[in-house]
Structure formats: C-alpha cells, structure tokens
Amino acid sequence: GKVRAPTHIISTIADDRGEEPCYAGVPMSTIVERGYGVGDVISLLWFKRSLPRYCTQFIEICVMLCADHGPCVSGAHNTIVTARAGKDLVSSLVSGLLTIGPRFGGAIDDAARYFKDAYERGLTPYEFVEGMKKKGIRVPGIGHRIKRGDNRDKRVQLLQDYGHSHFPSVKYLEYAVQVETYTLSKANNLVMNVDGAIASLFLDLLASCGMFTKQEMDEIVDIGYLNGLFVLARAIGLIGHTFDQKRLKQPLYRHPWEDVLYTK
Ligand code: ACO
Ligand code: LMR
C-alpha cells in the first residue's frame, strides 16, 4: 500500500490544492457568491468557522474604527518618519506596526485576560483595580493620553452601543464599565479605551454567540488572538500615511533641537 511520507508542516485553515482555494473548507466562489465580507474571511481564517452576521459585522466595525487615529499616534508617527526617510511601503508599514504593544493598541489580549479572570473570580472592581495596583500592573484597556471622563472616546461608545443592541449578553462589557466607573473615581484620564471595549465585547461574543465551547474561548484568550484586530485594522491607516507622505513629496524628517531637552 501507499506509505505516507512524514510532513514538516501541519496546516488547518486554508487549502490551495483544488480548482479554487478554500478558507476553512469554504470555496472562494461561495465567499464571492454569498457576498461575504472581511469579517467572514477573518472568522474562517482565524476562528475556523462561519460566525453569525452580527458577529462578523462586529469584527468589521472593530477594523473600521481602529483603522486610523491621526498622524500623532506612535504607529503613524513611525510610519511617517520612515516614509520620509525614503523607505518603501513595507518598511514604512512595519515600522509603524512595531509600535503596537502593551501601551499602544496591543493591550486587547491582556485586557481580555485580566477582565475575564477578575470576572470569573467574582472580584469587585475595587478588589480588581487595587489588586493590580499592588502588583504594579496598569489595568490594560483603561487609560488614554487625550481622552477623559468629560471627553469620552466616541469609538468606545459606538462599540458599546453595538454590543447592547446586537449581543445576547454583555456581562463582560458591563463588568468593564463598572471597572471604569471605579477608575474614573480615582482619575479623570482612566477611561475605558478602545482596546478595553474590544476586549470586553469580544469576551461577550465568544461566551454568548453559541459558536464556541468554554475550552475554545479559553484557548483564544490564552493564545491572544485579539491584538490581531488592531494590527490588521491599523495597517490600513499606516499604508494610507505612507502614500500620503509620498504624494506630498515630504523631505527627510529631522526632529527640531528646540523640542529636545539636552541635559547631563
Ligand atoms: N491603570 C492604572 N493606572 C493607570 C493606568 C491604568 N491603565 N493608566 C494610567 N494610570 C495612572 C498612572 O499610573 C499615573 O499615575 P501615577 O503618576 O501616580 O503613576 C496616571 O494614571 C497618569 O498616567 P500617565 O502615565 O500620565 O498616563 P499616560 O497618558 O502616559 O498613559 C496609557 C496612557 C499608556 C494608555 C496608559 O493609560 C496605560 O498604560 N493604559 C493601559 C494600557 C492600554 O490600555 N493601552 C491601550 C491604549 S488605547 C490605544 O492605544 C488604541
Ligand atoms: C489610537 O487609536 O491610536 C489611540 O487611541 C491612541 C491615541 O493616543 O490616540
């Protein structure tokens, strides 16, 4: 009989060997004929299943809302400086992407981990936030450089509204809102940020859409899929900033001396 040679790679999300490529078993023609969107493609390639429309629409809203936040944020700044140094699209893009992390855009996975753990352990917002403070860890998903209690982030509001009107349950979001109420009582800059809103609502999506077992939800949170949403989304804006700088024929950037404190 046939002897199967051992393989060096195992892959389970896409297959390009047939007449047409398949994403998680769904042929490309089906994707086009049924008018699937980017949210459906993310569902197939990241979660290996077709999710209900309200879930794929939520994914698309996350991508649209996080696509850009102006030229001054870490990612766009790096991309602009790199493009002005004459570098190519990919270099300019990755230079911006490399700033995504625990302080900027990449706090979604940790926010999901900490909010989920605190909720499951039944911690009050006070116990959770003060416990984090004792450990010297900033609460991921809370805090913003320019948004304040009296100048909320519209994106956070839009995400929350979508969850309230479309999700069967928003218990994690409600917990995150209670955490925010407590942090805002401490300082006006400690608002729920877009990472915190996506994290808590994605926990609600995973827990309540009926498409994931508890074990699958735990694995998604442990591995950390959710920063991928910000990375994917912000790439759209960073590519735009690269084109913008090239179109404007901007010269090499040099930071002004006056804006540096030279000291010993
Ligand atoms: N949890 C607890 N305390 C906080 C938090 C937080 N998440 N954020 C700020 N603080 C405290 C700081 O400890 C500081 O107090 P201190 O001076 O007594 O130490 C005070 O609030 C002011 O903090 P700053 O450092 O001035 O705040 P900054 O504006 O630099 O930080 C940042 C903004 C980086 C977003 C911060 O709030 C943070 O680390 N948040 C957690 C990570 C996070 O969610 N990042 C995603 C932001 S949204 C985005 O990037 C798309
Ligand atoms: C962003 O989306 O880039 C931000 O929320 C960060 C910022 O400082 O505006």
Side-chain angles (χ1 to χ4, degrees), residues 141-174:
I142 296 287
H144 199 273
R145 288 307 291 259
I146 56 169
K147 297 298 173 187
R148 294 287 176 268
D150 49 2
N151 171 30
R152 297 299 184 94
D153 191 330
K154 183 71 183 171
R155 300 169 296 175
V156 171
Q157 191 59 54
L158 290 166
L159 289 164
Q160 292 184 353
D161 291 349
Y162 187 86
H164 279 293
S165 55
H166 291 82
F167 287 16
S169 160
V170 285
K171 63 182 188 180
Y172 289 104
L173 173 66
E174 279 167 0

Side-chain angles (χ1 to χ4, degrees), residues 179-199:
V179 169
E180 181 198 40
T181 304
Y182 177 67
T183 54
L184 277 176
S185 74
K186 290 167 71 87
N188 200 25
N189 64 320
L190 298 184
V191 287
M192 185 190 303
N193 59 43
V194 73
D195 285 12
I198 293 175

Side-chain angles (χ1 to χ4, degrees), residues 220-238:
I220 287 165
V221 174
D222 287 349
I223 290 176
Y225 285 32
L226 305 180
N227 285 345
L229 287 169
F230 192 90
V231 172
L232 175 75
R234 195 51 61 96
I236 298 172
L238 298 179

Side-chain angles (χ1 to χ4, degrees), residues 3 5 11 22 29 44 49 62 73 78 82-83 86 97 104 109 161 174 188 195 215 220 229 231 237 252 255 262:
V3 178
S11 172
C22 292
S29 48
L44 293 170
R49 70 205 71 192
C62 292
V73 306
N78 257 21
T82 308
L97 288 178
F104 169 65
D109 285 316
D161 291 349
E174 279 167 0
N188 200 25
D195 285 12
Q215 199 187 349
I220 287 165
L229 287 169
V231 172
L252 179 66
H255 201 74
Y262 290 91

